[in-house]
Amino acid sequence: MSKPSTEFETCLRQLAQDGHCLLPAATLLPLLQAQGSLADWPAFAQSWEAMPLDTYMADRGRYRRRRHGVFRAQADGSIQRLPAQPHYQSVDYNPLNGGIERWFAPMGENLEQGTLGCVLRLALSGFGSLRPAARSWFVEAHQFRIEAQAGTPGLPTPEGVHRDGVDYVLVLLIRRHNIESGVTSIHAPDGRSLGSFTLREPGDCCLIDDARVFHGVTAVHAQQPGEPAFRDVLVLTFKRER
């Protein structure tokens, strides 16, 4: 597994110190290109279109669409896609939608051979450098589209400020269209604010130490009523297996 670049090392030091760090697109995209070609980025972003609704929303919301994929990432840099399986969170971590197995539509075939693979490898190199004893990681990849309607906001984190019950989280903005807000906030376990930021440009990214801090995202609102309004993100969660 390759050594993180200087820019990435700076972010990782902040992650280790503060429990979170921000990588703007201008910094992240060259890091991803060092992992492989991003030629499929337009097709990758297009894969957020026509995603099915998340039908497990306990608040009866119809503002979230998603797909899901599962991977095993090894310390030697290898990444293997695993057969489809349900996403599960206990109610301790997700009091709104937790406690049940949630089966989501799978990500497209071979999606990890392009941009997604670059993101997975970069995340593995970074998180692996912070946990050098880790030999294997269980990785879940989530494609989310949060939609806002006229007079009805979309909730990126309907469960509120929370943890995901993993070791690390990567959130990558794919696209924002006709929305305002969507501010990410980071909190200490006692509720103290540790900072906030807004992912605005495609490729803006944040890394979160889920074992140390909580995070949440404010509701998004349509700027022009009657026009499509949405926030597309890729979320990767890394949980150490051994």
Side-chain angles (χ1 to χ4, degrees):
M1 187 167 60
S2 61
K3 183 179 184 292
S5 70
T6 300
E7 295 87 349
F8 199 27
E9 286 179 333
T10 299
C11 176
L12 294 172
R13 282 195 296 270
Q14 183 183 355
L15 178 62
Q17 176 179 310
D18 301 331
H20 66 97
C21 69
L22 178 64
L23 281 167
T27 300
L28 178 76
L29 295 178
L31 296 177
L32 293 180
Q33 289 171 331
Q35 299 291 330
S37 173
L38 301 184
D40 78 324
W41 178 280
F44 182 56
Q46 185 66 24
S47 70
W48 266 256
E49 300 295 332
M51 291 199 300
L53 281 168
D54 181 343
T55 59
Y56 292 96
M57 301 296 289
D59 65 358
R60 301 182 183 275
R62 298 182 65 80
Y63 50 81
R64 182 159 76 178
R65 299 178 182 273
R66 71 192 294 179
R67 292 186 185 277
H68 179 244
V70 186
F71 301 86
R72 174 163 292 115
Q74 307 281 4
D76 64 4
S78 63
I79 297 172
Q80 173 192 8
R81 186 161 182 170
L82 302 177
Q85 56 184 273
H87 175 55
Y88 180 85
Q89 291 174 296
S90 73
V91 293
D92 293 332
Y93 291 107
N94 191 334
L96 179 66
N97 298 315
I100 59 171
E101 292 187 345
R102 290 180 284 166
W103 287 90
F104 297 112
M107 287 182 157
E109 292 296 323
N110 302 318
L111 205 61
E112 67 275 14
Q113 295 182 8
T115 296
L116 177 59
C118 294
V119 182
L120 284 164
R121 288 190 291 274
L122 182 67
L124 174 60
S125 71
F127 299 149
S129 72
L130 295 178
R131 294 287 185 274
R135 308 310 303 164
S136 178
W137 300 86
F138 177 71
V139 183
E140 292 189 77
H142 305 265
Q143 292 178 278
F144 288 105
R145 168 166 287 187
I146 304 300
E147 298 175 322
Q149 308 292 336
T152 305
L155 306 179
T157 54
E159 62 272 47
V161 174
H162 67 285
R163 292 169 55 208
D164 289 329
V166 297
D167 291 289
Y168 296 107
V169 180
L170 177 150
V171 182
L172 173 65
L173 181 70
I174 304 300
R175 187 182 178 194
R176 289 171 60 105
H177 179 73
N178 187 32
I179 59 167
E180 57 186 18
S181 195
V183 178
T184 299
S185 60
I186 307 296
H187 302 262
D190 63 6
R192 287 180 297 112
S193 173
L194 299 177
S196 64
F197 48 84
T198 303
L199 303 179
R200 295 191 180 278
E201 299 297 326
D204 283 353
C205 176
C206 66
L207 307 180
I208 299 169
D209 184 337
D210 190 63
R212 292 177 54 200
V213 302
F214 288 63
H215 65 280
V217 184
T218 61
V220 297
H221 303 266
Q223 293 176 320
Q224 297 295 326
E227 298 293 328
F230 54 85
R231 179 181 188 262
D232 291 347
V233 298
L234 171 72
V235 175
L236 301 181
T237 64
F238 275 65
K239 188 170 185 177
R240 180 177 173 178
E241 289 186 313
R242 59 183 176 86

